[in-house]
Amino acid sequence: MDRLAAMQTFVRVAEAGSFTAVADQLNVARSAVTRQIAALEAHLGVKLIARSTRRLSLTSAGATYIEQCRDILDRIDEAEGDLAGERQTLRGSIRTTVPLTFGLLHLTPLILEFSQAHPDIRIDLDFNDRRVNLIEEGLDLALRITERLPETTVARRLTTCRSVVAAAPAYLQRHGEPKHPDELAQHACLPYSLTSRSTWTFLIDGLPHAVEISGPITANNGNALQDAAIQGMGILYGPTFIAAEAIRRGLLVPILRKFQTPVLDMFAVFPGNRFVPQRVRAFVDFLALRLGPEPYWDKGLPLE
């Protein structure tokens, strides 16, 4: 039995709470995972995992052993990372999930650049706007755009994401330009369905001000909503990382510029209670450097 591999599998199963999930992560049969855990338990002479029909749980021996396993595995990762830093050659895989539209527009070229600079690293990308459980899905990293993260989250801020309210010149010619957020109730708006479908938030005198909105199209993709706005179908409230190019080309015109919208941040989020391998740290350092604290796509935009 390869005890190191068995320890790695045990930690994965304990964190995911499922033999099947780990088998899917490793692309092996479920029976192979259960045999490996059974062999480890037989070698140690104790039961590590209590099986039930609903979910796996650690025994008292398992709870003690997993902390020792994590410490050993973290030390191995750290040692390998130090060696990688000495030889300037990063190896291994990075499994990450990134927001769909932001990933396609801005991250893909950066990730390709990083991959070309580090050919011994394998990058597995999941373009997805849903909030995944990093541990359950065996991911090393998630890039998330949000106003705040839970206090217990292990994360690093990468850059700022601002929003803009904009419409096509043709729409403004037909319907006029709203001068106050409350006037949006009389306009066709284009809601993003993964946030609130019925309200948009502004900051007025430093306080959140929610405005009721409605419109002809709701979508869970910012590009689709921008296309609708460019066609004159309504007003867009969306991130500048999507709308910046259309604004520069005159396809969309920023409106309500006197009224601030909440500023979001992009974070690199890591699985909790894990050593972050050198290759993952190097990847995050690269993204932070390229994206910058004040993102390049906002430069020169008439937002205020």
Side-chain angles (χ1 to χ4, degrees):
M1 177 186 64
D2 184 338
R3 276 190 282 172
L4 180 60
M7 290 168 60
Q8 291 171 324
T9 301
F10 166 63
V11 172
R12 282 179 176 267
V13 169
E15 291 180 337
S18 166
F19 288 113
T20 301
V22 174
D24 290 341
Q25 293 171 16
L26 300 176
N27 197 28
V28 299
R30 182 182 184 278
S31 58
V33 176
T34 56
R35 282 198 302 269
Q36 198 171 31
I37 298 301
L40 181 62
E41 290 176 327
H43 171 77
L44 296 172
V46 294
K47 207 73 171 172
L48 299 173
I49 296 177
R51 285 80 162 170
S52 70
T53 55
R54 292 187 176 181
R55 187 173 175 84
L56 307 179
S57 60
L58 294 178
T59 63
S60 58
T64 300
Y65 187 61
I66 193 172
E67 295 307 320
Q68 297 170 337
C69 289
R70 283 175 174 149
D71 183 60
I72 291 169
L73 296 173
D74 284 352
R75 287 175 181 271
I76 292 172
D77 277 341
E78 189 170 8
E80 291 180 347
D82 289 343
L83 289 174
E86 289 179 6
R87 66 174 184 263
Q88 297 300 310
T89 300
L90 300 174
R91 302 177 186 276
S93 63
I94 300 174
R95 298 192 65 218
T96 181
T97 178
V98 301
L100 175 60
T101 302
F102 186 89
L104 293 174
L105 290 177
H106 300 284
L107 288 178
T108 298
L110 299 182
I111 290 169
L112 295 179
E113 180 185 347
F114 180 84
S115 184
Q116 289 172 339
H118 302 283
D120 293 322
I121 292 182
R122 301 181 306 277
I123 300 180
D124 183 352
L125 286 171
D126 173 31
F127 291 91
N128 204 317
D129 287 332
R130 68 186 178 91
R131 293 296 178 93
V132 302
N133 185 306
L134 290 125
I135 292 176
E136 288 184 0
E137 303 205 17
L139 295 168
D140 299 298
L141 178 71
L143 300 187
R144 291 180 179 162
I145 299 171
T146 184
E147 188 172 1
R148 65 178 61 88
L149 292 168
E151 291 184 2
T152 56
T153 303
V154 180
R156 175 180 173 181
R157 181 186 175 277
L158 296 179
T159 192
T160 297
C161 296
R162 301 178 65 182
S163 293
V164 63
V165 185
Y171 177 90
L172 298 176
Q173 289 173 4
R174 289 196 307 269
H175 303 284
E177 179 178 342
K179 302 302 182 183
H180 190 279
D182 289 341
E183 296 177 25
L184 291 171
Q186 282 73 53
H187 284 265
C189 297
L190 302 168
Y192 180 62
S193 61
L194 292 184
T195 56
S196 173
R197 293 170 179 260
S198 60
T199 60
W200 285 347
T201 301
F202 294 82
L203 297 177
I204 299 180
D205 296 328
L207 298 175
H209 181 78
V211 178
E212 295 288 333
I213 54 95
S214 63
I217 293 178
T218 299
N220 65 352
N221 180 266
N223 271 340
L225 295 174
Q226 176 175 266
D227 289 345
I230 291 172
Q231 295 297 320
M233 298 181 65
I235 295 175
L236 176 75
Y237 180 120
T240 55
F241 64 74
I242 295 178
E245 184 60 24
I247 292 172
R248 289 192 176 96
R249 294 171 58 191
L251 301 175
L252 293 175
V253 177
I255 61 174
L256 297 172
R257 288 185 284 175
K258 294 181 180 180
F259 300 91
Q260 289 185 324
T261 56
V263 176
L264 306 181
D265 289 311
M266 167 165 281
F267 296 93
V269 178
F270 308 98
N273 300 321
R274 281 191 187 173
F275 172 78
V276 180
Q278 175 66 21
R279 60 185 178 275
V280 178
R281 294 201 302 269
F283 180 57
V284 172
D285 288 344
F286 172 82
L287 292 180
L289 179 64
R290 288 292 189 271
L291 292 173
E294 295 299 327
Y296 59 84
W297 54 82
D298 280 352
K299 291 180 180 178
L301 285 186
L303 298 178
E304 297 178 355

